[in-house]
Amino acid sequence: MVPESSQGESNFSPPENGGTSPFQRLMHGILVGPNGIRAGWRVFMAVALFTGLLLAQQAGLGRIPALRAWLHRESQGGITPAILLYSECITVLCLMLTVLVMAKIENRSFARYGLPGNEAFGKRFWQGVPYGLAMLTLLLASIAAFHGFSLGGVALGGMAAVHYGFLYFLVFVFVAIFEEFSFRGYLQATLASGIGFWPAAILLAIGFGVFHLGNPGEAKWGAIMAGAFGLLEAFVLRRTGNLWFGIGLHASWDWGETYFYSVPDSGLLAKGHLLNSSLHGPTWLTGGSVGPEGSALVFFVLILSALVIHFIFPAKQASG
């Protein structure tokens, strides 16, 4: 279910007035609200814990000579599915451990953060997969209509195509889980408990766009479109009640860019793509170094996608 603003409970209860100093009451008021630890502090705790876990694993794994050698050797040929899978597995593991700790503190389950385990990779996920690929196909067809995209010939065939196709899909499932469960999962549920669903969604969409600026080749317009994509995912969460449709959508969009249509994804062009596609034309049309998600046409695809979601998942289903 979509977390509501009244669901920010924790194990902290207000102190009795007797025997407390004015300073203690002041600090309690700063740290604790009517629903427990204030949302901002919980977000700060989660980000600090996640960062600490990430740094700890990097320091620990970085001391393994064989792993260091493998990473160095694997990274020589540019971005590969093996490197991506390694890094995404680490970040997802750190995220899951972080949310487990915060769930214990807040007396919540993963379902309250939008990720019910009993629906993992179920119907909603597999509905989202073709939806995301259809969105990307519409975008690239629109760019091609203005002579800005060409498919080119096949770059991979046979078992190599199957091998890379499967690995990249696995990679982008992890990418989608990390980005959706962090931004539209824990952070969304926590901030919404303090400021409401849509103010939290807008704030996190801005953060999602800024987050993408860290990718090589990313540009401001691409980051803005990433933020708009975050708003669409928040709308999907609101209408479907959990993150699984959005995870499927997100994974197949990234898979379609990186592998199937073989175009840059947030400025990244990976090794082992299916086609020899090319983008040509003005940056406003093709997205330039960012890839098609930096195209001005993304805005219209996102609006159309939101309209379709509106009719597929009526508002009454959000509470069902």
Side-chain angles (χ1 to χ4, degrees):
M1 295 298 294
V2 177
E4 299 294 340
S5 60
S6 62
Q7 295 176 342
E9 304 89 348
S10 74
N11 291 324
F12 287 75
S13 57
E16 300 293 335
N17 286 336
T20 60
S21 68
F23 176 75
Q24 288 175 309
R25 291 195 293 272
L26 173 64
M27 290 305 297
H28 188 273
I30 292 172
L31 296 173
V32 182
N35 295 319
I37 302 174
R38 294 190 185 277
W41 291 113
R42 283 183 277 141
V43 168
F44 176 80
M45 291 165 62
V47 171
L49 178 57
F50 172 78
T51 304
L53 288 171
L54 203 57
L55 291 174
Q57 70 79 25
Q58 288 173 350
L61 294 177
R63 299 189 181 192
I64 303 174
L67 180 59
R68 286 205 312 269
W70 176 80
L71 289 171
H72 177 74
R73 184 173 61 253
E74 193 70 22
S75 62
Q76 294 304 300
I79 298 170
T80 66
I83 287 288
L84 289 174
L85 190 58
Y86 167 79
S87 63
E88 292 303 326
C89 283
I90 293 297
T91 54
V92 168
L93 176 61
C94 291
L95 175 63
M96 292 298 175
L97 290 173
T98 297
V99 178
L100 275 172
V101 172
M102 298 308 299
K104 180 66 175 175
I105 293 172
E106 299 172 13
N107 264 340
R108 285 179 155 190
S109 66
F110 273 35
R112 296 285 287 276
Y113 303 125
L115 201 70
N118 62 346
E119 295 190 37
F121 303 105
K123 180 178 72 172
R124 285 285 185 257
F125 173 82
W126 292 108
Q127 287 174 334
V129 168
Y131 195 86
L133 192 59
M135 287 173 56
L136 179 62
T137 300
L138 175 60
L139 172 61
L140 289 171
S142 301
I143 295 174
F146 289 95
H147 309 289
F149 172 67
S150 301
L151 283 173
V154 176
L156 288 176
M159 289 307 298
V162 174
H163 170 79
Y164 277 103
F166 173 76
L167 283 183
Y168 274 122
F169 184 74
L170 194 58
V171 164
F172 289 118
V173 167
F174 276 98
V175 170
I177 289 173
F178 172 71
E179 294 190 354
E180 294 308 316
F181 191 41
S182 55
F183 283 90
R184 260 73 64 183
Y186 180 80
L187 294 178
Q188 173 66 39
T190 303
L191 283 180
S193 71
I195 62 176
F197 184 90
W198 283 113
I202 292 169
L203 187 62
L204 289 169
I206 295 170
F208 192 62
V210 172
F211 173 75
H212 277 73
L213 283 174
N215 293 331
E218 186 63 272
K220 290 181 180 179
W221 182 252
I224 291 171
M225 288 300 99
F229 183 85
L231 282 178
L232 173 67
E233 288 281 28
F235 182 59
V236 169
L237 167 64
R238 192 66 164 171
R239 287 302 179 89
T240 64
N242 64 59
L243 296 167
W244 285 112
F245 185 98
I247 288 172
L249 183 163
H250 193 150
S252 65
W253 172 284
D254 284 350
W255 180 84
E257 279 189 300
T258 301
Y259 174 74
F260 189 77
Y261 287 115
S262 311
V263 292
D265 177 1
S266 291
L268 301 174
L269 186 59
K271 177 184 176 182
H273 43 80
L274 182 63
L275 302 170
N276 292 312
S277 300
S278 61
L279 292 164
H280 34 83
T283 300
W284 70 264
L285 174 63
T286 65
S289 65
V290 177
E293 64 186 48
S295 169
L297 299 181
V298 172
F299 184 70
F300 301 101
V301 171
L302 292 178
I303 290 176
L304 179 60
S305 300
L307 285 173
V308 174
I309 291 292
H310 170 71
F311 289 107
I312 293 177
F313 301 107
K316 63 181 180 180
Q317 291 191 12
S319 60

